[in-house]
Amino acid sequence: MGWGPSAVKAVVRLGVMATTDKEDDVFVDSITLFVGLLCGCIVVGHFLENTRWLNESVTSLIIGLCTGGTILFLSGGRSSRILEFDEELFFIYLLPPIIFNAGFQVKRKRFFRNIITIMLFGAVGTLISFGIISFGAKELFGKLNIGDLELQDYLAIGAIFSATDSVCTLQVLNQDDTPFIYSVVFGEGVVNDATSIVLFNAIQKFDLSQVDSEIALQFVGNFLTLFVTSTLLGVVVGLLSAYIIKKLYFGRHSTDREVSLMMLMAYLSYVMAELFDMSGILTVFFCGIVMSHYTWHNVTQKSRVTTRHAFATISFISETFIFLYVGMDALDIEKWMFVSDSPGKSAGASAILLGLLMLGRAAFVFPLSFLSNCTKKLESDRIEFKQQVTIWWAGLMRGAVSMALAYNQFARRGHTRLPGNAIMITSTITIVLFSTMVFGLLTKPLITWLLPSSGHGSNAGSPKSFSRPLLEQEPGLDAVMSTTNIHRPSSLRMMFETPANTVHYYWRKFDNSFMRPAFGGRGFVPFIPGSPDGSPTERNMP
């Protein structure tokens, strides 16, 4: 990374000062080093961009581990900590831009076409995995005698390790090379993270000493309510941003205002969801989808380019920060000191959890894929066995969501002095590192081997992706929709025979008649000098 003498001195000073009380000086040096490391991760990632094995998430983890090891050595084995892993920092500042950009850039056609499969995997599959991991941990950990863990702890373990790392999915999958796999695995990851967090929060609130059918029904009702309200909040904020920008048209005076408003309203959707105890992940994801469909078309051409690259840049920096952060915190000596007397227990707990994780994912991916295939009439719409294997493998990675939930359950501000809790923290770190580095490294070769014909996508960042309808179908569909059967369905039979086409037809009709005239969008932006297209546009489309 080209470190000079001054950078080496900064690291040495960090190693010495990590054992002192000069917190202000340590904080400044920590931030300086961290920003330098982020630059290094970007440079190294550039050189490794075309490699078959490595990706930027693994690169950032390795650089973080090496830096943490260096500071640990310079401090004489006393500390490797320069920044504490703070779950609030992760959930409030780092995760929102990543999920929003994913919704803003996602290919809506694929996502909504596979929404049933995504919901099956993300919600039902998470519950299956949660049950297997919780039950297996309770049965097997008792034989290891790792410490006093209560029923709530075992259920929390199930929620922690059911959380697929959607951030790492963005790093190892490409929505142009493998559009179906990407849409299913990433879409599942978003719903999965939300489900896992809901499960985790429910475990903290409910009285688990008296679990009965009423408690179970209450939990299911809470989850469905949370899912619907979180989604609606994201849609409402996205539509509100589109309406404000369309009516006031900030771009005639300053493009900075409309870009700032888009960014702030996107973040507002997330913090509002957190304020009302909803799922911020779902809210900001669907806010991104709505903004890309309506708001993005209401701003100037300069603002379109700016927002697209700004959202992608902030998301990229946040992703790199997370993996570097996790890598450096993994070597914190305090956690490992409590398990140094019984390394076999820690290794055994990690192996058990990893096995349960793989078993729990297999227990829902293959059965639910079979169930999904039973509802598909066309062979091309069914999930092939090779695709099922890829979906199972790509979803095995665990990341910062699991880390944050583990710290929340088993530590207090990153610190713990209970052996059992320390084993759970170190086991979580081990699984995150192992799954990201091993499963992440092997995902691209596995896709190349199992799905060799998948590498023929277009440019992922093409602006054309924002011009597609929210429920756009495959090419040639317009000709099919113009037929009498689809254009004028006479009974419910047509809904069952061609559900996707019929739903798409009615959505387009409603969108063109009511939504776009009110909220703007492609083809509905009024002409103003310096307008987004720079040319007259029609308010209504034929």
Side-chain angles (χ1 to χ4, degrees), residues 497-525:
E497 288 182 357
T498 55
N501 294 352
T502 308
V503 170
H504 172 257
Y505 164 73
Y506 280 116
W507 162 252
R508 288 295 301 274
K509 188 175 180 179
F510 174 76
D511 195 28
N512 290 340
S513 300
F514 300 101
M515 299 298 290
R516 289 185 178 182
F519 300 103
R522 183 170 60 96
F524 284 81
V525 180

PDB file of all heavy atoms in Angstrom, residues 497-525:
ATOM      1  N   GLU A 497     -54.217 -18.051 -15.469  1.00  0.00           N
ATOM      2  CA  GLU A 497     -53.469 -18.563 -16.615  1.00  0.00           C
ATOM      3  C   GLU A 497     -52.225 -17.726 -16.888  1.00  0.00           C
ATOM      4  O   GLU A 497     -51.166 -18.260 -17.208  1.00  0.00           O
ATOM      5  CB  GLU A 497     -54.371 -18.581 -17.855  1.00  0.00           C
ATOM      6  CG  GLU A 497     -55.453 -19.657 -17.817  1.00  0.00           C
ATOM      7  CD  GLU A 497     -56.288 -19.658 -19.091  1.00  0.00           C
ATOM      8  OE1 GLU A 497     -56.044 -18.771 -19.954  1.00  0.00           O
ATOM      9  OE2 GLU A 497     -57.145 -20.535 -19.229  1.00  0.00           O
ATOM     10  N   THR A 498     -52.346 -16.408 -16.813  1.00  0.00           N
ATOM     11  CA  THR A 498     -51.205 -15.520 -17.058  1.00  0.00           C
ATOM     12  C   THR A 498     -51.122 -14.472 -15.950  1.00  0.00           C
ATOM     13  O   THR A 498     -51.371 -13.283 -16.186  1.00  0.00           O
ATOM     14  CB  THR A 498     -51.351 -14.830 -18.429  1.00  0.00           C
ATOM     15  OG1 THR A 498     -52.622 -14.165 -18.456  1.00  0.00           O
ATOM     16  CG2 THR A 498     -51.258 -15.814 -19.565  1.00  0.00           C
ATOM     17  N   PRO A 499     -50.802 -14.884 -14.739  1.00  0.00           N
ATOM     18  CA  PRO A 499     -50.820 -13.937 -13.616  1.00  0.00           C
ATOM     19  C   PRO A 499     -49.831 -12.806 -13.757  1.00  0.00           C
ATOM     20  O   PRO A 499     -50.155 -11.648 -13.487  1.00  0.00           O
ATOM     21  CB  PRO A 499     -50.493 -14.829 -12.410  1.00  0.00           C
ATOM     22  CG  PRO A 499     -49.787 -16.017 -12.977  1.00  0.00           C
ATOM     23  CD  PRO A 499     -50.379 -16.230 -14.330  1.00  0.00           C
ATOM     24  N   ALA A 500     -48.590 -13.105 -14.169  1.00  0.00           N
ATOM     25  CA  ALA A 500     -47.572 -12.054 -14.260  1.00  0.00           C
ATOM     26  C   ALA A 500     -47.964 -11.014 -15.306  1.00  0.00           C
ATOM     27  O   ALA A 500     -47.873  -9.806 -15.078  1.00  0.00           O
ATOM     28  CB  ALA A 500     -46.214 -12.664 -14.600  1.00  0.00           C
ATOM     29  N   ASN A 501     -48.414 -11.481 -16.475  1.00  0.00           N
ATOM     30  CA  ASN A 501     -48.800 -10.558 -17.532  1.00  0.00           C
ATOM     31  C   ASN A 501     -50.002  -9.713 -17.124  1.00  0.00           C
ATOM     32  O   ASN A 501     -50.064  -8.511 -17.403  1.00  0.00           O
ATOM     33  CB  ASN A 501     -49.138 -11.338 -18.804  1.00  0.00           C
ATOM     34  CG  ASN A 501     -47.927 -12.043 -19.379  1.00  0.00           C
ATOM     35  OD1 ASN A 501     -46.808 -11.821 -18.913  1.00  0.00           O
ATOM     36  ND2 ASN A 501     -48.137 -12.881 -20.376  1.00  0.00           N
ATOM     37  N   THR A 502     -50.979 -10.341 -16.481  1.00  0.00           N
ATOM     38  CA  THR A 502     -52.191  -9.625 -16.097  1.00  0.00           C
ATOM     39  C   THR A 502     -51.901  -8.585 -15.018  1.00  0.00           C
ATOM     40  O   THR A 502     -52.357  -7.437 -15.090  1.00  0.00           O
ATOM     41  CB  THR A 502     -53.262 -10.613 -15.599  1.00  0.00           C
ATOM     42  OG1 THR A 502     -53.441 -11.642 -16.575  1.00  0.00           O
ATOM     43  CG2 THR A 502     -54.573  -9.908 -15.362  1.00  0.00           C
ATOM     44  N   VAL A 503     -51.140  -8.979 -13.994  1.00  0.00           N
ATOM     45  CA  VAL A 503     -50.765  -8.034 -12.940  1.00  0.00           C
ATOM     46  C   VAL A 503     -49.962  -6.886 -13.530  1.00  0.00           C
ATOM     47  O   VAL A 503     -50.177  -5.709 -13.194  1.00  0.00           O
ATOM     48  CB  VAL A 503     -49.968  -8.743 -11.828  1.00  0.00           C
ATOM     49  CG1 VAL A 503     -49.376  -7.735 -10.862  1.00  0.00           C
ATOM     50  CG2 VAL A 503     -50.859  -9.729 -11.089  1.00  0.00           C
ATOM     51  N   HIS A 504     -49.050  -7.219 -14.430  1.00  0.00           N
ATOM     52  CA  HIS A 504     -48.240  -6.187 -15.061  1.00  0.00           C
ATOM     53  C   HIS A 504     -49.116  -5.219 -15.866  1.00  0.00           C
ATOM     54  O   HIS A 504     -48.932  -3.999 -15.821  1.00  0.00           O
ATOM     55  CB  HIS A 504     -47.194  -6.823 -15.978  1.00  0.00           C
ATOM     56  CG  HIS A 504     -46.445  -5.836 -16.818  1.00  0.00           C
ATOM     57  ND1 HIS A 504     -46.704  -5.639 -18.168  1.00  0.00           N
ATOM     58  CD2 HIS A 504     -45.462  -4.957 -16.499  1.00  0.00           C
ATOM     59  CE1 HIS A 504     -45.903  -4.703 -18.631  1.00  0.00           C
ATOM     60  NE2 HIS A 504     -45.141  -4.279 -17.653  1.00  0.00           N
ATOM     61  N   TYR A 505     -50.102  -5.736 -16.594  1.00  0.00           N
ATOM     62  CA  TYR A 505     -50.978  -4.898 -17.391  1.00  0.00           C
ATOM     63  C   TYR A 505     -51.756  -3.914 -16.517  1.00  0.00           C
ATOM     64  O   TYR A 505     -51.815  -2.713 -16.792  1.00  0.00           O
ATOM     65  CB  TYR A 505     -51.951  -5.779 -18.193  1.00  0.00           C
ATOM     66  CG  TYR A 505     -53.133  -5.015 -18.740  1.00  0.00           C
ATOM     67  CD1 TYR A 505     -52.955  -4.132 -19.816  1.00  0.00           C
ATOM     68  CD2 TYR A 505     -54.400  -5.144 -18.180  1.00  0.00           C
ATOM     69  CE1 TYR A 505     -54.030  -3.408 -20.315  1.00  0.00           C
ATOM     70  CE2 TYR A 505     -55.463  -4.427 -18.670  1.00  0.00           C
ATOM     71  CZ  TYR A 505     -55.288  -3.560 -19.735  1.00  0.00           C
ATOM     72  OH  TYR A 505     -56.344  -2.841 -20.223  1.00  0.00           O
ATOM     73  N   TYR A 506     -52.349  -4.417 -15.446  1.00  0.00           N
ATOM     74  CA  TYR A 506     -53.136  -3.550 -14.585  1.00  0.00           C
ATOM     75  C   TYR A 506     -52.258  -2.551 -13.842  1.00  0.00           C
ATOM     76  O   TYR A 506     -52.661  -1.410 -13.588  1.00  0.00           O
ATOM     77  CB  TYR A 506     -53.963  -4.376 -13.596  1.00  0.00           C
ATOM     78  CG  TYR A 506     -55.225  -4.934 -14.209  1.00  0.00           C
ATOM     79  CD1 TYR A 506     -55.406  -6.302 -14.335  1.00  0.00           C
ATOM     80  CD2 TYR A 506     -56.227  -4.087 -14.677  1.00  0.00           C
ATOM     81  CE1 TYR A 506     -56.556  -6.820 -14.912  1.00  0.00           C
ATOM     82  CE2 TYR A 506     -57.376  -4.586 -15.252  1.00  0.00           C
ATOM     83  CZ  TYR A 506     -57.539  -5.955 -15.371  1.00  0.00           C
ATOM     84  OH  TYR A 506     -58.677  -6.439 -15.948  1.00  0.00           O
ATOM     85  N   TRP A 507     -51.037  -2.980 -13.456  1.00  0.00           N
ATOM     86  CA  TRP A 507     -50.125  -2.047 -12.791  1.00  0.00           C
ATOM     87  C   TRP A 507     -49.728  -0.913 -13.730  1.00  0.00           C
ATOM     88  O   TRP A 507     -49.756   0.263 -13.348  1.00  0.00           O
ATOM     89  CB  TRP A 507     -48.877  -2.753 -12.279  1.00  0.00           C
ATOM     90  CG  TRP A 507     -47.773  -1.776 -11.999  1.00  0.00           C
ATOM     91  CD1 TRP A 507     -46.633  -1.581 -12.703  1.00  0.00           C
ATOM     92  CD2 TRP A 507     -47.754  -0.791 -10.949  1.00  0.00           C
ATOM     93  NE1 TRP A 507     -45.894  -0.564 -12.172  1.00  0.00           N
ATOM     94  CE2 TRP A 507     -46.550  -0.058 -11.094  1.00  0.00           C
ATOM     95  CE3 TRP A 507     -48.624  -0.473  -9.917  1.00  0.00           C
ATOM     96  CZ2 TRP A 507     -46.207   0.975 -10.240  1.00  0.00           C
ATOM     97  CZ3 TRP A 507     -48.282   0.566  -9.066  1.00  0.00           C
ATOM     98  CH2 TRP A 507     -47.089   1.280  -9.225  1.00  0.00           C
ATOM     99  N   ARG A 508     -49.383  -1.244 -14.964  1.00  0.00           N
ATOM    100  CA  ARG A 508     -49.002  -0.207 -15.923  1.00  0.00           C
ATOM    101  C   ARG A 508     -50.157   0.749 -16.179  1.00  0.00           C
ATOM    102  O   ARG A 508     -49.968   1.964 -16.296  1.00  0.00           O
ATOM    103  CB  ARG A 508     -48.546  -0.853 -17.235  1.00  0.00           C
ATOM    104  CG  ARG A 508     -47.194  -1.539 -17.182  1.00  0.00           C
ATOM    105  CD  ARG A 508     -46.062  -0.558 -16.936  1.00  0.00           C
ATOM    106  NE  ARG A 508     -46.004   0.460 -17.963  1.00  0.00           N
ATOM    107  CZ  ARG A 508     -45.362   0.323 -19.118  1.00  0.00           C
ATOM    108  NH1 ARG A 508     -44.729  -0.802 -19.383  1.00  0.00           N
ATOM    109  NH2 ARG A 508     -45.338   1.305 -19.990  1.00  0.00           N
ATOM    110  N   LYS A 509     -51.356   0.211 -16.275  1.00  0.00           N
ATOM    111  CA  LYS A 509     -52.526   1.051 -16.510  1.00  0.00           C
ATOM    112  C   LYS A 509     -52.743   2.010 -15.342  1.00  0.00           C
ATOM    113  O   LYS A 509     -52.984   3.211 -15.532  1.00  0.00           O
ATOM    114  CB  LYS A 509     -53.747   0.155 -16.712  1.00  0.00           C
ATOM    115  CG  LYS A 509     -54.997   0.911 -17.148  1.00  0.00           C
ATOM    116  CD  LYS A 509     -56.129  -0.058 -17.437  1.00  0.00           C
ATOM    117  CE  LYS A 509     -57.388   0.711 -17.886  1.00  0.00           C
ATOM    118  NZ  LYS A 509     -58.506  -0.218 -18.187  1.00  0.00           N
ATOM    119  N   PHE A 510     -52.635   1.510 -14.114  1.00  0.00           N
ATOM    120  CA  PHE A 510     -52.792   2.349 -12.923  1.00  0.00           C
ATOM    121  C   PHE A 510     -51.658   3.351 -12.811  1.00  0.00           C
ATOM    122  O   PHE A 510     -51.878   4.530 -12.487  1.00  0.00           O
ATOM    123  CB  PHE A 510     -52.851   1.452 -11.685  1.00  0.00           C
ATOM    124  CG  PHE A 510     -52.875   2.206 -10.388  1.00  0.00           C
ATOM    125  CD1 PHE A 510     -54.031   2.836  -9.951  1.00  0.00           C
ATOM    126  CD2 PHE A 510     -51.734   2.293  -9.601  1.00  0.00           C
ATOM    127  CE1 PHE A 510     -54.057   3.548  -8.759  1.00  0.00           C
ATOM    128  CE2 PHE A 510     -51.744   2.996  -8.408  1.00  0.00           C
ATOM    129  CZ  PHE A 510     -52.915   3.622  -7.981  1.00  0.00           C
ATOM    130  N   ASP A 511     -50.447   2.913 -13.114  1.00  0.00           N
ATOM    131  CA  ASP A 511     -49.272   3.774 -13.004  1.00  0.00           C
ATOM    132  C   ASP A 511     -49.367   4.935 -13.990  1.00  0.00           C
ATOM    133  O   ASP A 511     -49.107   6.098 -13.644  1.00  0.00           O
ATOM    134  CB  ASP A 511     -48.012   2.949 -13.259  1.00  0.00           C
ATOM    135  CG  ASP A 511     -46.748   3.671 -12.802  1.00  0.00           C
ATOM    136  OD1 ASP A 511     -46.836   4.476 -11.871  1.00  0.00           O
ATOM    137  OD2 ASP A 511     -45.677   3.407 -13.384  1.00  0.00           O
ATOM    138  N   ASN A 512     -49.739   4.629 -15.222  1.00  0.00           N
ATOM    139  CA  ASN A 512     -49.829   5.666 -16.243  1.00  0.00           C
ATOM    140  C   ASN A 512     -51.000   6.614 -16.008  1.00  0.00           C
ATOM    141  O   ASN A 512     -50.927   7.805 -16.350  1.00  0.00           O
ATOM    142  CB  ASN A 512     -49.964   5.031 -17.630  1.00  0.00           C
ATOM    143  CG  ASN A 512     -48.687   4.347 -18.073  1.00  0.00           C
ATOM    144  OD1 ASN A 512     -47.605   4.633 -17.555  1.00  0.00           O
ATOM    145  ND2 ASN A 512     -48.796   3.425 -19.019  1.00  0.00           N
ATOM    146  N   SER A 513     -52.079   6.118 -15.436  1.00  0.00           N
ATOM    147  CA  SER A 513     -53.284   6.937 -15.267  1.00  0.00           C
ATOM    148  C   SER A 513     -53.253   7.795 -14.011  1.00  0.00           C
ATOM    149  O   SER A 513     -53.771   8.914 -14.011  1.00  0.00           O
ATOM    150  CB  SER A 513     -54.528   6.039 -15.240  1.00  0.00           C
ATOM    151  OG  SER A 513     -54.642   5.302 -16.442  1.00  0.00           O
ATOM    152  N   PHE A 514     -52.634   7.299 -12.933  1.00  0.00           N
ATOM    153  CA  PHE A 514     -52.724   7.989 -11.646  1.00  0.00           C
ATOM    154  C   PHE A 514     -51.363   8.342 -11.039  1.00  0.00           C
ATOM    155  O   PHE A 514     -51.150   9.483 -10.617  1.00  0.00           O
ATOM    156  CB  PHE A 514     -53.513   7.133 -10.640  1.00  0.00           C
ATOM    157  CG  PHE A 514     -54.911   6.835 -11.070  1.00  0.00           C
ATOM    158  CD1 PHE A 514     -55.235   5.611 -11.612  1.00  0.00           C
ATOM    159  CD2 PHE A 514     -55.911   7.787 -10.934  1.00  0.00           C
ATOM    160  CE1 PHE A 514     -56.533   5.330 -12.019  1.00  0.00           C
ATOM    161  CE2 PHE A 514     -57.214   7.522 -11.333  1.00  0.00           C
ATOM    162  CZ  PHE A 514     -57.523   6.293 -11.878  1.00  0.00           C
ATOM    163  N   MET A 515     -50.449   7.372 -10.975  1.00  0.00           N
ATOM    164  CA  MET A 515     -49.219   7.571 -10.224  1.00  0.00           C
ATOM    165  C   MET A 515     -48.268   8.548 -10.910  1.00  0.00           C
ATOM    166  O   MET A 515     -47.817   9.528 -10.306  1.00  0.00           O
ATOM    167  CB  MET A 515     -48.530   6.231  -9.988  1.00  0.00           C
ATOM    168  CG  MET A 515     -49.350   5.236  -9.189  1.00  0.00           C
ATOM    169  SD  MET A 515     -49.728   5.836  -7.512  1.00  0.00           S
ATOM    170  CE  MET A 515     -48.106   5.764  -6.774  1.00  0.00           C
ATOM    171  N   ARG A 516     -47.954   8.315 -12.169  1.00  0.00           N
ATOM    172  CA  ARG A 516     -46.985   9.174 -12.846  1.00  0.00           C
ATOM    173  C   ARG A 516     -47.473  10.600 -13.059  1.00  0.00           C
ATOM    174  O   ARG A 516     -46.672  11.544 -12.923  1.00  0.00           O
ATOM    175  CB  ARG A 516     -46.567   8.532 -14.171  1.00  0.00           C
ATOM    176  CG  ARG A 516     -45.701   7.294 -13.979  1.00  0.00           C
ATOM    177  CD  ARG A 516     -45.212   6.759 -15.296  1.00  0.00           C
ATOM    178  NE  ARG A 516     -44.337   5.601 -15.094  1.00  0.00           N
ATOM    179  CZ  ARG A 516     -43.726   4.939 -16.075  1.00  0.00           C
ATOM    180  NH1 ARG A 516     -43.909   5.331 -17.324  1.00  0.00           N
ATOM    181  NH2 ARG A 516     -42.969   3.910 -15.807  1.00  0.00           N
ATOM    182  N   PRO A 517     -48.736  10.827 -13.405  1.00  0.00           N
ATOM    183  CA  PRO A 517     -49.169  12.223 -13.485  1.00  0.00           C
ATOM    184  C   PRO A 517     -49.033  12.965 -12.158  1.00  0.00           C
ATOM    185  O   PRO A 517     -48.791  14.176 -12.143  1.00  0.00           O
ATOM    186  CB  PRO A 517     -50.647  12.095 -13.902  1.00  0.00           C
ATOM    187  CG  PRO A 517     -50.720  10.803 -14.624  1.00  0.00           C
ATOM    188  CD  PRO A 517     -49.762   9.897 -13.913  1.00  0.00           C
ATOM    189  N   ALA A 518     -49.182  12.245 -11.048  1.00  0.00           N
ATOM    190  CA  ALA A 518     -49.100  12.897  -9.734  1.00  0.00           C
ATOM    191  C   ALA A 518     -47.668  13.013  -9.232  1.00  0.00           C
ATOM    192  O   ALA A 518     -47.284  14.039  -8.659  1.00  0.00           O
ATOM    193  CB  ALA A 518     -49.940  12.118  -8.716  1.00  0.00           C
ATOM    194  N   PHE A 519     -46.858  11.982  -9.457  1.00  0.00           N
ATOM    195  CA  PHE A 519     -45.521  11.932  -8.855  1.00  0.00           C
ATOM    196  C   PHE A 519     -44.387  12.033  -9.871  1.00  0.00           C
ATOM    197  O   PHE A 519     -43.221  12.020  -9.482  1.00  0.00           O
ATOM    198  CB  PHE A 519     -45.361  10.639  -8.050  1.00  0.00           C
ATOM    199  CG  PHE A 519     -46.345  10.507  -6.937  1.00  0.00           C
ATOM    200  CD1 PHE A 519     -47.444   9.670  -7.057  1.00  0.00           C
ATOM    201  CD2 PHE A 519     -46.199  11.234  -5.772  1.00  0.00           C
ATOM    202  CE1 PHE A 519     -48.365   9.540  -6.030  1.00  0.00           C
ATOM    203  CE2 PHE A 519     -47.113  11.125  -4.737  1.00  0.00           C
ATOM    204  CZ  PHE A 519     -48.212  10.280  -4.872  1.00  0.00           C
ATOM    205  N   GLY A 520     -44.703  12.158 -11.148  1.00  0.00           N
ATOM    206  CA  GLY A 520     -43.664  12.266 -12.155  1.00  0.00           C
ATOM    207  C   GLY A 520     -43.117  10.914 -12.551  1.00  0.00           C
ATOM    208  O   GLY A 520     -43.666   9.874 -12.208  1.00  0.00           O
ATOM    209  N   GLY A 521     -42.023  10.936 -13.276  1.00  0.00           N
ATOM    210  CA  GLY A 521     -41.443   9.688 -13.758  1.00  0.00           C
ATOM    211  C   GLY A 521     -41.183   9.777 -15.243  1.00  0.00           C
ATOM    212  O   GLY A 521     -41.424  10.800 -15.892  1.00  0.00           O
ATOM    213  N   ARG A 522     -40.691   8.715 -15.801  1.00  0.00           N
ATOM    214  CA  ARG A 522     -40.315   8.693 -17.216  1.00  0.00           C
ATOM    215  C   ARG A 522     -41.524   9.005 -18.096  1.00  0.00           C
ATOM    216  O   ARG A 522     -42.542   8.319 -18.043  1.00  0.00           O
ATOM    217  CB  ARG A 522     -39.757   7.314 -17.587  1.00  0.00           C
ATOM    218  CG  ARG A 522     -39.256   7.208 -19.027  1.00  0.00           C
ATOM    219  CD  ARG A 522     -38.526   5.910 -19.213  1.00  0.00           C
ATOM    220  NE  ARG A 522     -39.384   4.775 -18.952  1.00  0.00           N
ATOM    221  CZ  ARG A 522     -40.040   4.092 -19.894  1.00  0.00           C
ATOM    222  NH1 ARG A 522     -39.940   4.464 -21.159  1.00  0.00           N
ATOM    223  NH2 ARG A 522     -40.787   3.051 -19.578  1.00  0.00           N
ATOM    224  N   GLY A 523     -41.402  10.052 -18.913  1.00  0.00           N
ATOM    225  CA  GLY A 523     -42.464  10.420 -19.826  1.00  0.00           C
ATOM    226  C   GLY A 523     -43.504  11.344 -19.237  1.00  0.00           C
ATOM    227  O   GLY A 523     -44.423  11.753 -19.931  1.00  0.00           O
ATOM    228  N   PHE A 524     -43.379  11.707 -17.942  1.00  0.00           N
ATOM    229  CA  PHE A 524     -44.390  12.527 -17.302  1.00  0.00           C
ATOM    230  C   PHE A 524     -43.813  13.779 -16.652  1.00  0.00           C
ATOM    231  O   PHE A 524     -44.462  14.407 -15.836  1.00  0.00           O
ATOM    232  CB  PHE A 524     -45.145  11.720 -16.236  1.00  0.00           C
ATOM    233  CG  PHE A 524     -46.126  10.760 -16.827  1.00  0.00           C
ATOM    234  CD1 PHE A 524     -45.710   9.531 -17.310  1.00  0.00           C
ATOM    235  CD2 PHE A 524     -47.459  11.096 -16.919  1.00  0.00           C
ATOM    236  CE1 PHE A 524     -46.604   8.639 -17.859  1.00  0.00           C
ATOM    237  CE2 PHE A 524     -48.367  10.207 -17.479  1.00  0.00           C
ATOM    238  CZ  PHE A 524     -47.943   8.981 -17.951  1.00  0.00           C
ATOM    239  N   VAL A 525     -42.600  14.134 -16.997  1.00  0.00           N
ATOM    240  CA  VAL A 525     -41.976  15.320 -16.418  1.00  0.00           C
ATOM    241  C   VAL A 525     -42.338  16.529 -17.260  1.00  0.00           C
ATOM    242  O   VAL A 525     -42.079  16.540 -18.461  1.00  0.00           O
ATOM    243  CB  VAL A 525     -40.444  15.161 -16.343  1.00  0.00           C
ATOM    244  CG1 VAL A 525     -39.804  16.402 -15.738  1.00  0.00           C
ATOM    245  CG2 VAL A 525     -40.082  13.926 -15.540  1.00  0.00           C
TER     246      VAL A 525
END
